[in-house]
Amino acid sequence: MKKIAYIDNIPFPFQDGDTILTFAKRHLGDDLIPTLCHDPKLKPIGSCRLCQVEVSTKKDGEKTLLASCHNTPQVGQYIYSSSSRIERLRKHLLELILSEHRLECSHCDKGELCEVLPTIKQIGRAHFHYPHLTPKIANAKDSEHPYLRSDMDQCIHCYRCIQACDEIQGQFALSMAGRGIETKVIKGQDQNFSDSECVSCGACVLTCPTNAITDIFQSQEKLADKTTRTICTYCGVGCNLDVSSRGDEILSIRGSKDSEVNQGHACIKGRYAFRFYNHPDRLKSPMIRKNGELKNVDWDEAYDFIIAKIKSIKNQYGADAIAGISSARCTNEENYLMQKLMRAVIGTNNIDGCARVCHAPTALGMQRIFGTGAATNSVEEIAITDCMLIIGANPTCSHPVTGAKIKQAAIKGTPLIVIDPFKSELAKFADYHLQLRPGTNIALLNMMFYYIIKEQLVDTDFINHRCEGLDDFRQDILKHDPDELAKICGVPKKKVLAATQLYAKAKQAMCFHGLGITEHSQGTLAVMLVAQLAMITGNIGKPGSGVNPMRGQNNVQGCADMGVQPHQGAGYLDITDPIIQARYEEFYGSPLSPKVGLTIPEMTDAAGKDKLKALWLVGEDIAQTEPNAKKVKTDLLNLELLIVQDLFMNETAKLATVILPAASFFEKSGTFTNAERRIQRVNQVIRPLTGTKSDGQIIVEIMNLLGYPQKDYHPEIMLKEISQIVPFFAGVTWEGLGDNGKQWPVSSSGQETKVLHQQSFTRGKGLFKSAQFQESKEIDHNKKDYPFILTTVRDLIHYNCGAMTRRTENTQLSNEDIVLINPKDANEKRICDGDRVKICSKRGEIILTANVSDTVKKGILRTTFHFPENMVNFLTSDISDPDTLCPEYKVTAVQIEAYHRTQ
């Protein structure tokens, strides 16, 4: 039965959850009731009272004034949006509000205030009847931040910026201070943006109704002649962005308001770090090394050189002397083409990418337990889960929009467990922070299983129907001594017990994991245990639960989906299976190798041993990002042909034989697949920079020159081909993806899948298989001479090797890698905050600036790897997970000393 109320005597149906304001807006438009403090993304607080309406239980009954933003309509209620009484009240309220606006209307920076505030257009121009309320002392303008600006003389105290900071980002960087007419919005302890806790997400900018808080791009938006919706090129969250442009100039970026992923929100990188696209450092011409120097050439000469060298090497040494590395920065279609080039055209399975390097333990570990190596659930389910477990991930830095959602849920009371060696921002909001020693995930997880079994927290009904192998698993787990496990990982067993009970007793619990468990010598085993933790408690196959890997780069998931790995082709199909091989060969119309190819570490090692002669890199700087980077550089120099296809001259490109200038994500179309399996459209915003081509177009042209007929690059055409060979893309079409994309598997009818494994696992029954902790060889062999453990991470400001963010204003906020050291260690080593320090490993040494901090435990060091000047990966070892060869970036044995520059 419909619930009816009357707006200005007209009956309309209302819904549960409606306020009078949303009810009226839905039926009669946004202009019916004026508002000032209201933002639909924020909780109504009723501070301005401009939205007051008159209500009555009868048509001609006594009328009461109510703020429409936070009062609900009632059945049979009469609501009057306007009357002489309401108009007088609104005008009076507006005059009081504007009395705190220090500047005369005609002197506002953006034109008259009535142009900035639609509310004034509705109510009428205000006359300043209360000049005595205007504070006499003006606020200082803040223009020190690279992006954000504030002029609090234009603030009207609507509280929206404070609410946005609190409710969207959860940063609490803004607040109100002072009393009476001296009340004002402040940042932190009345600081500027740069010195406060602000993370530059821009949520305050988007909600501010005046010019009190702006950014440097806001004034340019009105000059745009086009707005294009696309997908962010940074992390795996997959935020939708609205890019305003004029011609080939990008003017500003905002989060797409109707995006299911980010609901209009974005982080500093997605919203502001875009000026790399036309930076002077962009590569604009192909280059060939001649007489030891890279020289500009045209595209035809570059192509002729590449084709001749590839044919020569293949004829002389065979196809397996050639290898390719594709990129999680590229679209699905481009990654698909790159693996197709290597397999169907050149004839080798020597194809790999960073998706396998960093998250191969995720794919393999989850495949072994579930049958599918991808996120089981959706990020939106954070809103309905009863418990969140974060292990080996720091989302507020590495996946900021998802991190903000997790933080908001924790603030609102959803229990949170954080397992991390670092006292992260989320750890401050956690019910339990299990601050383990790096590399001991297996020991801690086994302790959790021990308590689940001992405390009888096993979901036996779920396991009896859906799983196998629990009896042997149980016996292995109960052999453990929790005291010994606690000693290994450095976390008190009582704390682990309490956290375990919190997770296991939740009706539905979500687990998020990142590179902090994959980039270890036991990475695959750790992911397997995480998957089993969800199974043993029945937290799989239902909303608000599951195992959700936090993919590092924007298209890590898609890169793996498309077959950029040496053992599986597009769709994770086993290239060694004769039936699968025959299927690929028929589809590609070309013979394929049945031999598993080389991974990236094997490629560089083979190059050093003269077994690999040619390497083609697309969008990867392995000379900076691979472990034991000094050895990697030496190996690369031994190649006959090194092709680098990228945006900028990077550490790997400096060693190249041929350089091909690629287009950025702004300059091409395709699809990215985010961490929750959501395939989304990337739409071209501007034309490719003169002299550059999209990665897909380059690969297609090379394929044709090598004699393989491949249609010209277009995402619609490529998706049609992909859908015919990748089973879970069966119903994916360019038009069918719409604005918000679809989560695979997508059926042939176009139906997406939000939650995996609801009825059964892909492998049939979920598998229980135990794992025993083993100390990393890096620690075992080197702890005497190198007693500290160094772990490498990302920060919020920069991204991976920093090729893009280092070419934006972000460098004004962070311009070097900093090493964190515990105060006790710093005292023993006579290191002060800000000192330069020398860090040595078995492989080399670097000089960094120290930050003395109790966010790391004694004996642990933590740093980023964004700046090639520091080459942090000179220190890291090439020890890897034996199952996947994923490098152990998170555990490096080092020594640290104060650095004294010799004169």
Side-chain angles (χ1 to χ4, degrees):
M1 183 177 176
K2 289 184 178 180
K3 299 177 182 178
I4 301 295
Y6 297 83
I7 306 174
D8 297 334
N9 294 323
I10 303 172
F12 293 105
F14 64 88
Q15 306 166 0
D16 291 340
D18 266 344
T19 62
I20 293 174
L21 182 62
T22 59
F23 170 48
K25 281 179 176 288
R26 185 169 63 254
H27 291 295
L28 297 175
D30 290 340
D31 295 334
L32 183 68
I33 300 173
T35 63
L36 187 59
C37 68
H38 178 73
D39 183 325
K41 301 188 298 293
L42 308 173
K43 290 179 182 177
I45 60 172
S47 66
C48 74
R49 316 303 287 180
L50 292 176
C51 69
Q52 288 189 93
V53 295
E54 291 182 323
V55 300
S56 175
T57 57
K58 299 178 181 179
K59 185 174 182 180
D60 297 316
E62 185 177 350
K63 297 172 184 176
T64 304
L65 285 168
L66 290 178
S68 63
C69 67
H70 62 88
N71 282 285
T72 59
Q74 305 298 317
V75 174
Q77 188 177 56
Y78 285 81
I79 301 164
Y80 299 95
S81 63
S82 183
S83 68
S84 58
R85 177 191 182 192
I86 293 173
E87 289 173 4
R88 286 196 307 272
L89 176 63
R90 287 174 180 165
K91 200 153 212 170
H92 174 67
L93 287 169
L94 186 60
E95 289 168 357
L96 283 168
I97 292 167
L98 296 185
S99 69
E100 298 179 339
H101 189 281
R102 296 174 187 267
L103 303 180
E104 294 287 341
C105 273
S106 60
H107 294 103
C108 292
D109 291 348
K110 249 188 179 179
E112 292 192 354
L113 189 57
C114 60
E115 294 300 321
V116 181
L117 285 175
T119 302
I120 298 180
K121 290 183 179 180
Q122 290 172 264
I123 296 174
R125 184 181 297 276
H127 298 283
F128 289 89
H129 293 161
Y130 308 99
H132 59 286
L133 295 181
T134 303
K136 305 302 180 188
I137 302 173
N139 291 295
K141 294 182 180 181
D142 179 5
S143 58
E144 294 184 18
H145 192 278
Y147 301 118
L148 303 177
R149 300 287 183 265
S150 71
D151 177 5
M152 291 308 173
D153 280 347
Q154 300 197 51
C155 177
I156 53 176
H157 298 176
C158 65
Y159 283 82
R160 279 162 59 169
C161 60
I162 297 172
Q163 279 190 276
C165 190
D166 295 354
E167 297 174 17
I168 297 175
Q169 182 59 37
Q171 200 62 24
F172 305 97
L174 301 174
S175 58
M176 197 71 81
R179 301 182 65 183
I181 61 172
E182 298 301 329
T183 302
K184 63 178 181 178
V185 173
I186 62 171
K187 309 143 198 160
Q189 302 298 314
D190 206 2
Q191 301 161 300
N192 56 39
F193 275 120
S194 297
D195 297 330
S196 73
E197 293 297 312
C198 172
V199 293
S200 313
C201 71
C204 56
V205 174
L206 293 186
T207 196
C208 179
T210 69
N211 288 313
I213 299 179
T214 59
D215 62 38
I216 63 172
F217 303 115
Q218 191 167 332
S219 62
Q220 300 180 50
E221 285 182 351
K222 59 186 176 183
L223 304 176
D225 55 24
K226 183 178 68 170
T227 299
T228 307
R229 182 167 177 154
T230 193
I231 310 302
C232 183
T233 190
Y234 287 109
C235 77
V237 173
C239 290
N240 288 226
L241 305 176
D242 290 334
V243 184
S244 297
S245 61
R246 181 185 58 205
D248 289 329
E249 181 184 9
I250 295 172
L251 301 177
S252 70
I253 295 180
R254 299 285 180 259
S256 304
K257 291 182 179 179
D258 63 341
S259 165
E260 293 179 9
V261 173
N262 55 310
Q263 298 83 39
H265 195 36
C267 74
I268 180 175
K269 294 188 286 287
R271 193 185 301 280
Y272 295 128
F274 62 83
R275 282 182 165 169
F276 66 84
Y277 82 95
N278 63 350
H279 193 277
D281 288 349
R282 277 287 299 272
L283 296 168
K284 301 182 184 70
S285 170
M287 304 175 81
I288 295 176
R289 190 173 296 278
K290 298 179 179 180
N291 299 320
E293 292 186 13
L294 288 165
K295 300 291 186 180
N296 289 342
V297 297
D298 61 30
W299 279 95
D300 288 340
E301 183 177 349
Y303 282 166
D304 289 344
F305 181 87
I306 290 170
I307 298 302
K309 289 292 289 184
I310 286 177
K311 286 182 176 179
S312 173
I313 290 169
K314 184 176 178 180
N315 289 336
Q316 187 173 357
Y317 303 105
D320 287 337
I322 303 169
I325 298 175
S326 198
S327 175
R329 326 293 304 150
C330 294
T331 65
N332 286 323
E333 297 75 18
E334 291 168 332
N335 279 300
Y336 174 81
L337 282 167
M338 187 62 185
Q339 65 87 34
K340 184 179 179 182
L341 166 67
M342 299 309 297
R343 289 191 163 103
V345 183
I346 292 176
T348 180
N349 288 310
N350 290 342
I351 178 69
D352 202 6
C354 65
R356 193 212 55 77
V357 170
C358 297
H359 264 289
T362 287
L364 180 59
M366 292 176 69
Q367 282 172 7
R368 285 177 175 175
I369 303 306
F370 299 149
T372 298
T376 63
N377 290 68
S378 305
V379 171
E380 65 185 6
E381 295 167 31
I382 291 170
I384 62 170
T385 192
D386 297 311
C387 182
M388 300 175 293
L389 172 64
I390 316 294
I391 178 169
N394 186 10
T396 54
C397 279
S398 299
H399 307 84
V401 170
T402 296
K405 291 179 180 179
I406 293 170
K407 181 164 60 170
Q408 287 289 352
I411 291 169
K412 293 171 184 174
T414 303
L416 172 64
I417 302 161
V418 172
I419 303 175
D420 198 306
F422 174 63
K423 194 182 295 180
S424 63
E425 182 182 8
L426 283 179
K428 301 171 187 175
F429 295 91
D431 296 74
Y432 297 102
H433 175 207
L434 309 183
Q435 196 171 6
L436 76 172
R437 177 168 64 89
T440 61
N441 294 302
I442 298 286
L444 190 140
L445 289 166
N446 278 337
M447 197 177 353
M448 294 183 73
F449 281 113
Y450 181 90
Y451 287 127
I452 287 171
I453 293 169
K454 277 290 188 180
E455 298 289 317
Q456 298 182 353
L457 299 173
V458 177
D459 189 333
T460 53
D461 287 341
F462 179 86
I463 291 167
N464 289 339
H465 288 92
R466 300 280 307 272
C467 308
E468 61 184 2
L470 181 64
D471 290 341
D472 290 341
F473 180 83
R474 181 190 284 113
Q475 291 177 19
D476 289 342
I477 289 295
L478 292 179
K479 292 176 184 176
H480 289 294
D481 178 359
D483 290 305
E484 180 63 24
L485 295 174
K487 183 179 178 182
I488 291 169
C489 67
V491 182
K493 62 180 185 178
K494 288 185 178 179
K495 197 170 186 180
V496 176
L497 170 61
T500 302
Q501 290 173 329
L502 181 62
Y503 175 83
K505 290 181 179 179
K507 290 183 179 179
Q508 46 195 28
M510 297 185 80
C511 178
F512 297 89
H513 73 264
L515 304 184
I517 67 167
T518 63
E519 292 180 345
H520 289 281
S521 57
Q522 290 191 288
T524 299
L525 296 178
V527 174
M528 289 170 63
L529 290 182
V530 169
Q532 293 170 85
L533 190 67
M535 281 201 316
I536 202 168
T537 56
N539 278 304
I540 196 77
K542 60 185 181 182
S545 65
V547 179
N548 304 280
M550 307 199 81
R551 305 295 193 177
Q553 297 190 48
N554 57 307
N555 201 30
V556 163
Q557 184 66 59
C559 185
D561 294 345
M562 295 299 104
V564 179
Q565 43 203 349
H567 63 297
Q568 293 175 326
Y572 301 102
L573 303 180
D574 184 357
I575 52 97
T576 65
D577 184 327
I579 297 175
I580 298 298
Q581 186 185 15
R583 179 182 171 186
Y584 279 135
E585 288 182 339
E586 180 182 2
F587 188 72
Y588 291 143
S590 180
L592 270 67
S593 170
K595 178 183 173 184
V596 172
L598 301 177
T599 62
I600 292 175
E602 291 172 327
M603 290 176 189
T604 56
D605 194 53
K609 296 175 180 177
D610 281 333
K611 294 181 179 179
L612 188 74
K613 298 297 182 178
L615 180 59
W616 188 334
L617 291 106
V618 179
E620 289 293 329
D621 184 11
I622 62 172
Q624 182 181 342
T625 60
E626 283 296 294
N628 199 357
K630 190 178 292 185
K631 177 183 179 297
V632 170
K633 281 191 171 184
T634 301
D635 291 341
L636 293 177
L637 286 170
N638 206 42
L639 290 164
E640 288 187 21
L641 176 64
L642 176 58
I643 305 168
V644 174
Q645 190 167 308
D646 219 315
L647 304 181
F648 300 103
M649 179 65 69
N650 55 39
E651 296 304 302
T652 309
K654 292 174 184 177
L655 313 175
T657 317
V658 183
I659 293 176
L660 301 177
S664 73
F665 86 110
F666 289 120
E667 300 155 6
K668 60 188 176 184
S669 295
T671 58
F672 292 154
T673 305
N674 77 350
E676 57 178 0
R677 298 172 282 106
R678 188 186 297 269
I679 310 156
Q680 301 186 98
R681 295 194 306 201
V682 179
N683 295 302
Q684 184 176 343
V685 178
I686 55 177
R687 292 175 299 179
L689 207 62
T690 300
T692 70
K693 297 183 180 185
S694 73
D695 296 293
Q697 189 61 37
I698 295 170
I699 296 167
V700 165
E701 289 171 356
I702 289 290
M703 291 173 78
N704 280 283
L705 289 170
L706 284 170
Y708 186 95
Q710 180 67 44
K711 292 181 180 178
D712 202 29
Y713 179 78
H714 189 282
E716 186 171 2
I717 295 171
M718 292 312 308
L719 275 177
K720 186 175 181 180
E721 178 176 336
I722 292 166
S723 69
Q724 294 171 338
I725 193 67
V726 176
F728 46 84
F729 267 58
V732 176
T733 64
W734 180 255
E735 289 302 321
L737 289 174
D739 284 338
N740 281 296
K742 291 185 177 181
Q743 290 172 265
W744 67 251
V746 180
S747 68
S748 56
S749 65
Q751 182 65 42
E752 67 177 333
T753 307
K754 294 281 188 182
V755 180
L756 296 181
H757 315 305
Q758 294 186 61
Q759 302 301 322
S760 64
F761 292 103
T762 309
R763 70 180 300 277
K765 287 194 172 185
L767 176 67
F768 278 102
K769 187 175 179 61
S770 61
Q772 308 303 315
F773 168 76
Q774 288 185 348
E775 187 70 83
S776 167
K777 292 179 182 178
E778 171 72 1
I779 302 300
D780 252 357
H781 296 172
N782 300 303
K783 60 186 176 183
K784 182 179 178 181
D785 296 325
Y786 303 99
F788 288 84
I789 297 176
L790 174 70
T791 188
T792 61
V793 298
R794 300 172 185 162
D795 71 10
L796 172 66
I797 305 301
H798 289 290
Y799 197 74
N800 277 16
C801 64
M804 295 186 295
T805 53
R806 284 187 287 105
R807 292 174 171 90
T808 69
E809 292 89 338
N810 283 30
T811 53
Q812 296 178 36
L813 297 171
S814 171
N815 61 7
E816 63 175 324
D817 294 312
I818 303 291
V819 63
L820 302 186
I821 181 171
N822 183 272
K824 292 180 181 178
D825 291 327
N827 185 55
E828 291 174 6
K829 292 290 184 177
R830 297 184 178 180
I831 293 170
C832 297
D833 194 63
D835 281 357
R836 298 288 280 174
V837 295
K838 180 170 71 173
I839 307 172
C840 307
S841 77
K842 193 175 180 179
R843 291 152 295 276
E845 64 181 49
I846 61 172
I847 309 298
L848 297 179
T849 300
N851 180 359
V852 179
S853 171
D854 64 1
T855 57
V856 291
K857 296 176 76 172
K858 193 175 188 305
I860 310 301
L861 305 175
R862 182 179 188 267
T863 190
T864 52
F865 55 96
H866 303 307
F867 293 87
E869 298 86 351
N870 299 322
M871 291 304 295
V872 169
N873 278 318
F874 274 3
L875 302 179
T876 49
S877 79
D878 47 15
I879 291 173
S880 59
D881 171 47
D883 293 316
T884 62
L885 297 187
C886 175
E888 191 173 47
Y889 289 107
K890 301 306 181 188
V891 175
T892 302
V894 298
Q895 180 61 277
I896 185 170
E897 301 289 346
Y899 175 67
H900 302 289
R901 190 186 302 274
T902 57
Q903 299 297 321

